[in-house]
Amino acid sequence: MTWMLNSDRPIYAQIIEKIQTDIVSGIYHAGDKLPSVRELAAQASVNPNTMQKALSELERDGLLYSQRTSGRFITEDREMIQNMKQELAKEQISLFLEKMNNLGFKKEETFQFIQQVLGEEKN
């Protein structure tokens, strides 16, 4: 699992996004146990306190839950995971549309261009 963290934004925010993405993409499934804070911090090459801060925020949001002696687990609320997946997708679509607008494409032109590219991929 590759952690692509950079210094242009807070590291803990990037960790949150990475774990969210891993959950919605199926790397972690509902009810799965997460590796320990130390293991995750080592994988990401970050301070364990930074990892702890990110995991605590995910717990506050309800995406993770702790069991005292067993560790942290992914929520079993599949609807919450699906909603998060859709929200993350909306964010990516908005960013894409903004970039296309910056390139001079109107929304309708963008949609037509997407259809054109998809048509080319079918062939």
Side-chain angles (χ1 to χ4, degrees):
M1 168 166 36
T2 304
W3 293 75
M4 302 284 288
L5 305 176
N6 54 50
S7 61
D8 66 340
R9 295 178 32 244
I11 297 297
Y12 84 95
Q14 294 176 68
I15 292 170
I16 290 170
E17 290 170 2
K18 169 74 167 119
I19 293 173
Q20 287 175 333
T21 301
D22 287 353
I23 292 169
V24 299
S25 68
I27 292 173
Y28 296 122
H29 301 282
D32 279 359
K33 184 179 187 299
L34 275 181
S36 72
V37 171
R38 289 183 188 274
E39 288 176 62
L40 286 170
Q43 288 174 9
S45 301
V46 299
N47 184 309
N49 293 333
T50 305
M51 183 62 68
Q52 176 63 38
K53 181 178 180 180
L55 296 177
S56 293
E57 190 160 323
L58 288 168
E59 263 187 74
R60 271 192 303 279
D61 293 343
L63 195 56
L64 303 179
Y65 65 93
S66 291
Q67 290 186 339
R68 275 196 95 111
T69 58
S70 302
R72 281 193 173 89
F73 295 83
I74 307 299
T75 184
E76 295 181 12
D77 184 346
R78 295 184 195 296
E79 187 176 331
M80 175 189 273
I81 293 171
Q82 185 62 32
N83 289 340
M84 183 178 58
K85 184 176 189 174
Q86 290 176 350
E87 285 303 313
L88 292 173
K90 283 180 190 177
E91 289 174 22
Q92 291 302 311
I93 291 169
S94 293
L95 289 171
F96 171 74
L97 291 173
E98 184 180 325
K99 287 180 181 180
M100 293 301 285
N101 186 50
N102 291 341
L103 289 173
F105 284 88
K106 304 274 186 268
K107 281 187 182 179
E108 189 58 39
E109 291 174 314
T110 299
F111 297 140
Q112 290 173 356
F113 191 62
I114 289 170
Q115 289 174 335
Q116 176 186 341
V117 170
L118 290 174
E120 290 172 2
E121 286 183 4
K122 285 183 181 178
N123 298 329

